[in-house]
Amino acid sequence: MTDTPSRFGFVAFAETWNGRLAMLGFVIGLGTELLTGQGILSQIGLG
């Protein structure tokens, strides 16, 4: 086995990027909702 840190699975590196992308997605969804006046679900036809 090697001593290099893995970048796959539930490691701090992956969880950090997962959190960052989730926050980015939330901000984009909120901005889209403010610009269009429609909720996210109604924009995709579920509301």
Side-chain angles (χ1 to χ4, degrees):
M1 297 207 60
T2 61
D3 291 333
T4 59
S6 175
R7 296 211 173 208
F8 299 101
F10 293 106
V11 294
F13 178 81
E15 293 301 315
T16 300
W17 276 101
N18 186 29
R20 289 175 182 167
L21 293 174
M23 289 185 280
L24 183 64
F26 181 77
V27 169
I28 290 172
L30 185 62
T32 304
E33 188 171 338
L34 290 173
L35 288 174
T36 62
Q38 296 180 336
I40 295 172
L41 292 178
S42 64
Q43 289 180 24
I44 61 173
L46 295 177

